[in-house]
Amino acid sequence: MSTSNGTAYGRFPGARPRRLRTTPAMRRMVAETRLHPAELILPAFVREGISEPVPLAAMPGVVQHTRDTLRKAAAEAVAAGVGGIMLFGVPEESKKDAVGTPGTDPDGILQVAIRDVKAEVGDDLVVMSDLCLDEHTDHGHCGVLDAEGRVDNDATLERYAEMARAQADAGVHVVGPSGMMDGQVGVVREALDGIGRHDVSILAYTVKYASAFYGPFREAVGSSLQGDRKTYQQDPANARESLRELALDLAEGADMVMVKPALPYLDILARIADTVDVPVAAYQISGEYAMVETAAANGWIERDRAIMETLTSIRRAGAGMILTYWATEVAQRLRRGE
Ligand code: PBG
């Protein structure tokens, strides 16, 4: 680089990067990365059959919503300028079964929640839904099982197609297939197009690692899972594999792609963001949230600064959109100019 070959600009004592850090105004002016409420997406849980919201022990500040409080949370997100909401339904325990029937029942809690939120916010918020069976199955896996108890990829795809139709019928803007079955994006696209819903888009969970950081989410959705998801979610050791998942999802019709979890996988996020010409999202997951909240509650880190630093880092690595449980709070803070 010509600027670092020995000119005064490129060498100390002429070169002093600290000059651009002297005042808050200077730092604000030269900042390369900024957060905006519209790029934040709020993941929200709604639980069937409860009359009061249920706080989640491992995610302080996050609740399982009633239908009513979910509507309020959606309205609050709109007021704060949040871009979207990602809905997760938690059916009554007795309704879960081996094939995840509540996930395709027009009166299943997720479909009900989509209709509720659409009635509340209309098109003022992008309404998204998790398209996966794990919240709805009694065994807690993301798909249906074969006779040996293994997750059956192609039988699961048929259920996903049905889920896509049920969610589209309920009025969702975007579906988020998150089960990591091979071929899921293509099958979902075909199912939507088959009922004339070319307008419903797909946010593909393209890169999803079998992560220990999903721990608190399992409480959030009352997961029944025994064992792990290592036969369908990716091995944290692999990076190139993500590019293969990406190529497949784009070929199958993904409108947007996601990397998940976020902070431990910023290298993957940066590679994906450099490669694609579709919007890229990252999901700051439950364990990432819990780590910050717990450390802050103990007085070990500054909560608000830590939250902004994680989000800025995810944005800097290349995410255009971030799913975060702090979406509304952070959007409010950004609006106040903090
Ligand atoms: C699967 C799904 C999971 C999350 C979002 N969608 C759980 C999993 O794969 O085990 C995790 C979200 C989080 O941890 O915040 N339906």
Side-chain angles (χ1 to χ4, degrees):
M1 232 195 299
S2 62
T3 51
S4 57
N5 64 359
T7 63
Y9 174 87
R11 189 192 284 173
F12 181 83
R16 292 179 184 267
R18 287 186 56 197
R19 283 189 198 112
L20 300 184
R21 301 176 197 143
T22 46
T23 66
M26 179 68 84
R27 293 193 291 273
R28 189 176 63 221
M29 186 182 76
V30 302
E32 296 173 35
T33 308
R34 280 176 228 285
L35 295 169
H36 191 277
E39 65 206 14
L40 301 177
I41 298 166
L42 176 71
F45 307 106
V46 56
R47 177 165 162 192
E48 190 173 27
I50 54 171
S51 51
E52 291 296 324
V54 179
L56 298 170
M59 299 179 74
V62 178
V63 300
Q64 290 176 330
H65 283 291
T66 67
R67 288 179 57 186
D68 206 42
T69 65
L70 176 68
R71 287 179 74 134
K72 292 196 179 104
E76 211 187 355
V78 171
V82 165
I85 190 166
M86 173 65 81
L87 301 173
F88 295 90
V90 185
E92 272 173 33
E93 204 55 38
S94 63
K95 294 190 182 163
K96 293 185 185 179
D97 59 19
V99 296
T101 299
T104 48
D105 181 349
D107 295 321
I109 184 64
L110 183 52
Q111 283 66 254
V112 167
I114 293 168
R115 288 196 293 269
D116 284 347
V117 170
K118 280 298 294 292
E120 183 71 33
V121 303
D123 292 338
D124 292 345
L125 194 62
V126 180
V127 180
M128 316 185 181
S129 48
D130 189 52
L131 200 164
C132 191
L133 283 172
D134 66 309
E135 295 98 290
H136 310 284
T137 52
D138 53 11
H139 47 70
H141 274 294
C142 294
V144 297
L145 307 180
D146 67 15
E148 273 84 57
R150 294 171 305 204
V151 174
D152 184 334
N153 193 88
D154 297 13
T156 300
L157 293 181
E158 290 173 34
R159 298 290 295 136
Y160 285 0
E162 241 184 285
M163 284 189 91
R165 288 188 287 263
Q167 295 177 2
D169 284 346
V172 84
H173 295 115
V174 179
V175 294
S178 67
M180 291 302 280
M181 295 302 126
D182 293 333
Q184 64 184 10
V185 172
V187 159
V188 165
R189 183 71 270 156
E190 211 174 289
L192 293 169
D193 290 352
I195 57 166
R197 296 307 303 272
H198 309 279
D199 59 322
V200 175
S201 50
I202 301 177
L203 169 56
Y205 283 61
T206 293
V207 176
K208 185 173 181 187
Y209 285 92
S211 172
F213 296 102
Y214 299 137
F217 177 92
R218 306 274 161 87
E219 177 199 3
V221 299
S223 173
S224 323
L225 183 70
Q226 307 283 328
D228 59 51
R229 306 197 195 288
K230 290 179 183 169
T231 69
Y232 43 104
Q233 297 179 349
Q234 291 171 246
D235 183 342
N238 296 346
R240 284 197 306 271
E241 186 180 40
S242 290
L243 299 177
R244 186 168 189 221
E245 290 283 0
L246 175 67
L248 288 165
D249 279 5
L250 292 174
E252 290 173 31
D255 297 288
M256 300 174 271
V257 297
M258 191 201 293
V259 174
K260 179 181 178 184
L263 216 51
Y265 298 93
L266 293 185
D267 58 328
I268 310 294
L269 176 58
R271 278 172 86 160
I272 299 273
D274 282 348
T275 309
V276 294
D277 52 12
V278 297
V280 176
Y283 196 143
Q284 182 179 55
I285 62 162
S286 57
E288 299 179 65
Y289 176 92
M291 284 194 293
V292 172
E293 290 288 354
T294 315
N298 280 289
W300 297 332
I301 60 173
E302 271 179 62
R303 178 181 182 275
D304 294 359
R305 266 186 72 199
I307 292 172
M308 294 314 248
E309 185 175 331
T310 59
L311 292 171
T312 301
S313 298
I314 295 164
R315 183 82 185 77
R316 191 194 62 231
M321 301 169 293
I322 306 173
L323 288 90
T324 173
Y325 298 97
W326 291 303
T328 303
E329 177 190 326
V330 168
Q332 288 165 345
R333 207 182 297 159
L334 291 169
R335 286 220 148 172
R336 290 195 300 266
E338 288 170 36

